[in-house]
Amino acid sequence: CNCVRACTSPMSSNRFSLKFPLWLMSAACLVIVQTPQTCSLSLPTHLEVIDDFRAPDCVWCMGNRGIEYRSSPGGSVSSVVDGKVSFVGVVANTMYVVVRTKSGLLVTHGRLRSAQVALGESVQVGQSLGSAGSTLYIGVRRGSDYLNPSTCTRRVRAVLL
């Protein structure tokens, strides 16, 4: 890191050079930054995305308020987030399981063939919620705002200062 070299060895062109301990400058030059995400999801990576998130232009406008995956009918559907089951049921002939996170996000797992969790049950990432239909829908909502699930993955990066 040039910052370390420049700060630990006085340079004649810099009249304000100071000597700092190498460990201190190393810590100042490389900082691990964890992107704050209150919606950290563990999305399925083994399933093909067949319809990505498309934000609607208005509340009643067309769009896709989540991500749809091609799934194997009858296969296990795992929770993509830790939380409590806040809804289990059928809406318009479609089975849904909604998990509320500690931060208040609502994460919808939809188009299930069946559910094996109960209202109020605590679930962990990877825990089976039920069995899949031919597609799987994952949606995320904060209040009345739909969020793109693919932007809700935890990111950790190193930043060179």
Side-chain angles (χ1 to χ4, degrees), residues 81-149:
V81 70
D82 296 336
K84 282 193 184 269
V85 176
S86 64
F87 177 83
V88 178
V90 177
V91 177
N93 293 323
T94 304
M95 174 65 71
Y96 291 95
V97 173
V98 179
V99 178
R100 180 181 295 274
T101 67
K102 285 183 181 180
S103 65
L105 288 178
L106 295 173
V107 180
T108 302
H109 304 73
R111 308 220 168 82
L112 307 179
R113 179 179 280 179
S114 65
Q116 64 185 46
V117 291
L119 184 65
E121 185 177 335
S122 291
V123 295
Q124 303 295 313
V125 170
Q127 180 178 334
S128 182
L129 300 176
S131 63
S134 59
T135 62
L136 171 64
Y137 169 85
I138 302 292
V140 180
R141 208 168 42 131
R142 178 180 288 126
S144 61
D145 296 325
Y146 287 89
L147 307 176
N148 183 345

Side-chain angles (χ1 to χ4, degrees), residues 36-78:
Q37 292 290 337
T38 57
C39 60
S40 180
L41 304 179
S42 182
L43 294 174
T45 57
H46 64 287
L47 299 177
E48 174 191 1
V49 173
I50 56 174
D51 195 2
D52 211 350
F53 179 86
R54 293 183 319 280
D57 292 331
C58 69
V59 173
W60 304 110
C61 292
M62 288 177 40
N64 188 13
R65 290 158 176 83
I67 299 175
E68 294 182 54
Y69 298 89
R70 184 175 326 281
S71 59
S72 299
S76 183
V77 173
S78 299

